[in-house]
Every structure is written in C-alpha cells, then in structure tokens.
Amino acid sequence: MEDVEVIVAHSQRATLRVGDVFLKVDGDREHAEVEVQAMRLAPVPTPTVLWREAPALAISAVPGRALGKLGEPSSASPAAWRAAGAAIRTLHDAPLPPWSGPDPDEVAADLDRECRWLLDHAVLPADVIHRNREIAAAALRPWPLSFVHGDLQISHVFVDHDEVVGIIDWSEASRGDAMADLATLTLGQEDRLEDLLAGYGDDADRDVIRAWWSLRSLTAARWLIEHGFDPDAPGCEFDVLRARAREAR
C-alpha cells in the first residue's frame, strides 16, 4: 500500500500525492475547469490529466525537481533558469486563453484593500507598507495581455538536466501581465532574475518586475496569514517587502 502525502491543505483546497498521482480537491469548481483548459492550451510541458470528477482532479506527477522553494536559495543552475525563461516566453507568446483575468483597476483596488488590512493589523511597520505601495504603483499601468500562469511560484516549475519538464498548478491561468509571472517566479530569488531574462528575452521591463515583487507580497500576506502560512518566514514575503523598502530609501 502506498503512503498518502499531504502536499497542501487549507479551508479552500487540498492536494494529496499517492505514488505518481496527485489528487486535488477544490471548493471552487471553476479552478479545476481553468486548470484543465489551461494545461490543454499551454504550449509548455504540463501534467497529464488522469480523470476529473468535481470537486476532485487527478493528475500525473511530473519528472525532475522544482527550481527551488520560496525562502531558500535555489540550487538550480543558471542554465536551468535560462530554460525556465525560454519556456515562460513560449507561454506568454501563445494565443490568449478564451477567459479573462484581473485588469489593472481590479488589481489596484485589491492592493489598496490589502494595504489597509496590513496597516490596521500592524503586521509590518507602516513605512514598509507605504514604501512598497509606492513601488507597486509602477505595475498598475495598462498592460499588454499575455497568456499567463497566474501563480508561477518557484515550486511550480520543474527541471531536469537543465530543461523544463513540467509546470504545475494552473488554476489561476488567464489573460494578464507577463511581468507578473516573471516577478512571481523570482520572488525571494532576485539574484536569479538576469539568468531568467537571458532565456526569456531582454525586452522584459525590470522596473515593472520589481514593482510586482512588492505588489504580490503586499496582496498575498493576509491570505497566507489567514490560511496558516507564515509570510514572515526567512526569505519570504515580509523579507521581500523589507528589502524593497530599504532599497527605496
């Protein structure tokens, strides 16, 4: 009998691994619909969908290992990061998915709401929040639409022999800002940005990527806290915000 490994579990969703099968259970059925469609449309390596019966989705494990883990230095080679950049560029250049994503006005409203919550609950010094809110403003411009993953965390990109062999967790894929994907992947791994862009292409806007580092960290903090995660762990979101605030002084 194979062991059941709990990958993630909180009030919204749970992911279990049994052998080479991942079982995802999500309270929002639309997430599974988006994930299945996105993996079908994305021109990059993705898991195989084995079966789906709402609210559960079974997919195959992907080979290789993740580029890294938030809060820890990535041990992946520069070549692996370049390969990730090339794969992401292929995704961003693909035809747009038929569903939309958040627009800049929606993102701005979300950012303001989350900053108010952070200030009201005093989870960070007010000057750190204010400085990062100012930095994040650079991301809130009319962005050209791309096919984006939407949650391109470092642990979602798998490589083997310096090649991308799988990108997982597509439930937030949509039309959106390509720079947000690049920022999410390099959050806490800022020293790997140039390796990533060497594969992606040098037309990426570094200032906007840096703005998204602040924006994503500010908007993710409350969700993480309320679902039992710690954004104040070493190398995670609060460290990113403190570092960005220091640089802005």
Side-chain angles (χ1 to χ4, degrees):
M1 184 174 68
E2 294 181 293
D3 291 338
V4 177
E5 179 185 0
V6 179
I7 305 300
V8 64
H10 49 75
S11 61
Q12 291 182 341
R13 69 188 66 163
T15 300
L16 310 176
R17 179 170 184 167
V18 185
D20 290 331
V21 176
F22 283 91
L23 182 64
K24 306 180 73 170
V25 181
D26 197 313
D28 187 338
R29 296 190 178 192
E30 289 187 7
H31 286 160
E33 292 174 4
V34 167
E35 183 151 19
V36 170
Q37 289 189 64
M39 289 191 293
R40 178 175 56 83
L41 295 172
V44 294
T46 64
T48 299
V49 176
L50 301 176
W51 54 264
R52 178 185 170 206
E53 186 169 342
L57 171 67
I59 60 175
S60 64
V62 298
R65 61 193 180 104
L67 271 178
K69 180 180 179 182
L70 182 62
E72 300 176 4
S74 170
S75 61
S77 69
W81 279 90
R82 290 193 296 271
I88 297 163
R89 186 55 181 255
T90 298
L91 173 67
H92 291 167
D93 287 345
L96 296 174
W99 61 94
S100 62
D103 63 34
D105 289 340
E106 292 173 302
V107 173
D110 185 44
L111 176 61
D112 287 340
R113 182 172 55 252
E114 296 307 314
C115 285
R116 285 195 299 271
W117 186 92
L118 293 171
L119 289 166
D120 290 345
H121 290 79
V123 297
L124 279 170
D127 69 308
V128 172
I129 298 169
H130 288 308
R131 287 181 185 275
N132 277 277
R133 175 62 183 85
E134 292 169 357
I135 295 167
L140 301 173
R141 82 282 180 223
W143 52 64
L145 293 177
S146 298
F147 188 159
V148 297
H149 180 280
D151 189 26
L152 197 63
Q153 300 178 47
I154 190 173
S155 59
H156 292 167
V157 178
F158 283 71
V159 294
D160 188 31
H161 295 97
D162 296 334
E163 296 292 336
V164 174
V165 293
I167 299 177
I168 66 171
D169 285 3
W170 291 83
S171 63
E172 295 183 42
S174 69
R175 305 179 182 190
D177 184 4
M179 299 304 103
D181 269 356
L182 299 177
T184 300
L185 186 59
T186 53
L187 189 74
Q189 307 284 339
E190 290 85 351
D191 60 328
R192 297 304 197 116
L193 178 60
E194 294 307 317
D195 290 329
L196 182 74
L197 296 186
Y200 184 84
D202 205 41
D203 57 336
D205 191 324
R206 289 165 174 79
D207 289 336
V208 172
I209 292 171
R210 295 184 181 99
W212 273 106
W213 287 339
S214 292
L215 196 156
R216 182 173 175 91
S217 297
L218 289 168
T219 55
R222 174 168 38 161
W223 188 95
L224 292 168
I225 292 168
E226 292 179 344
H227 289 82
F229 301 98
D230 184 9
D232 203 18
C236 294
E237 286 81 4
F238 284 2
D239 272 358
V240 171
L241 293 172
R242 294 185 189 103
R244 301 300 297 143
R246 287 193 298 268
E247 292 170 5
R249 286 175 184 156

